[in-house]
Amino acid sequence: MLFRSKDMTPVTAMGDAVMLVFVQPGGPVKSMRELIDYAKANPDKLSYGSSGFGSIHHLAQEQVAMITGAQLLHIPYKTGTDSVAALVSGQIPVTYAILGSIGPHLRAGKVVPLARVGTTRLESMPQVPALGELVPGFESPPGWEGVFAPAALPQPVLRRIHGEAVKALTSNAVKSKVAEIGFDVIANTPEEFTALIRSQIELVTRIARTAKFQPID
């Protein structure tokens, strides 16, 4: 989203999408390291799916390519669900996907996770490395949902809204429901949320310029 501080005040980031890199069982690569090495030696020979041009899936792989030189052929789909279906049916060998959208296929053994898109491993999948471990300098692309308030909101009101939002987000019921749909609860401060937004604007700008993104008509 386009963030303009004169229009709105960040209150808190609610949750961040849990995204992983997946392949089919028995595919040409067995680990994220193998995928990176293969893509470096054979640029654009392997394709990967995403939920569309400029999506967090697309940004994540473009950042991997930017840092490592591992080039995969991008196949953008209309939705993440379409990308997952293409992987499961064998139309593509790799996809980036939100855990909530691919969970049933993962539990059925139809897909294999190679890496968590982030800098830390998931507690539920400690055997799956984080991209930050394999690709030094990797930063998670913006996959969060947040709470915003009108600009120039009085501080006492902002703090009260923030407190109530964090109280709700950190309740067991909400945390459980958020986990079901593939998100991690964040519940940070307004200052931390503002810093996160600005740093990710810089990250996306850097990726887009390096990858030479062009506007789509």
Side-chain angles (χ1 to χ4, degrees):
M1 64 171 294
L2 179 62
F3 172 62
R4 296 183 296 182
S5 58
K6 68 177 182 178
D7 295 333
M8 63 188 80
T9 298
V11 177
T12 186
M14 298 187 296
D16 195 26
V18 177
M19 181 167 58
L20 296 96
V21 185
F22 292 93
V23 295
Q24 278 193 319
V29 295
K30 309 299 182 186
S31 69
M32 192 67 197
R33 175 52 61 196
E34 285 186 17
L35 176 60
I36 291 172
D37 289 344
Y38 182 89
K40 287 173 67 176
N42 304 275
D44 292 334
K45 294 296 184 182
L46 280 181
S47 60
Y48 77 99
S50 80
S51 62
F53 183 87
S55 64
I56 58 173
H57 312 79
H58 187 201
L59 291 170
Q61 172 53 34
E62 286 295 345
Q63 187 181 176
V64 171
M66 180 176 74
I67 296 172
T68 68
Q71 294 284 348
L72 297 177
L73 179 63
H74 181 216
I75 308 296
Y77 289 85
K78 290 184 178 180
T79 69
T81 301
D82 292 336
S83 174
V84 169
L87 174 68
V88 173
S89 65
Q91 296 177 48
I92 53 174
V94 183
T95 197
Y96 282 70
I98 303 301
L99 184 57
S101 68
I102 204 169
H105 301 296
L106 177 61
R107 291 188 288 273
K110 296 180 179 180
V111 296
V112 177
L114 296 188
R116 189 258 175 100
V117 179
T119 56
T120 59
R121 299 190 181 201
L122 289 171
E123 290 184 8
S124 59
M125 299 183 199
Q127 78 283 6
V128 178
L131 268 180
E133 299 174 43
L134 306 171
V135 183
F138 181 86
E139 300 175 56
S140 297
W144 45 261
E145 299 285 343
V147 177
F148 291 84
L153 196 70
Q155 280 296 310
V157 178
L158 173 62
R159 297 301 166 184
R160 181 175 178 180
I161 293 173
H162 174 263
E164 293 297 327
V166 169
K167 182 179 178 180
L169 289 168
T170 55
S171 69
N172 290 334
V174 172
K175 287 173 68 175
S176 176
K177 182 59 68 175
V178 167
E180 284 181 17
I181 60 175
F183 276 72
D184 279 335
V185 169
I186 300 177
N188 52 10
T189 66
E191 292 78 16
E192 290 169 338
F193 190 19
T194 299
L196 173 65
I197 293 168
R198 297 195 184 285
S199 69
Q200 294 204 311
I201 288 173
E202 294 175 1
L203 171 64
V204 172
T205 299
R206 191 163 68 249
I207 295 171
R209 286 176 176 169
T210 301
K212 297 182 172 59
F213 283 2
Q214 297 296 322
I216 298 176
D217 295 330

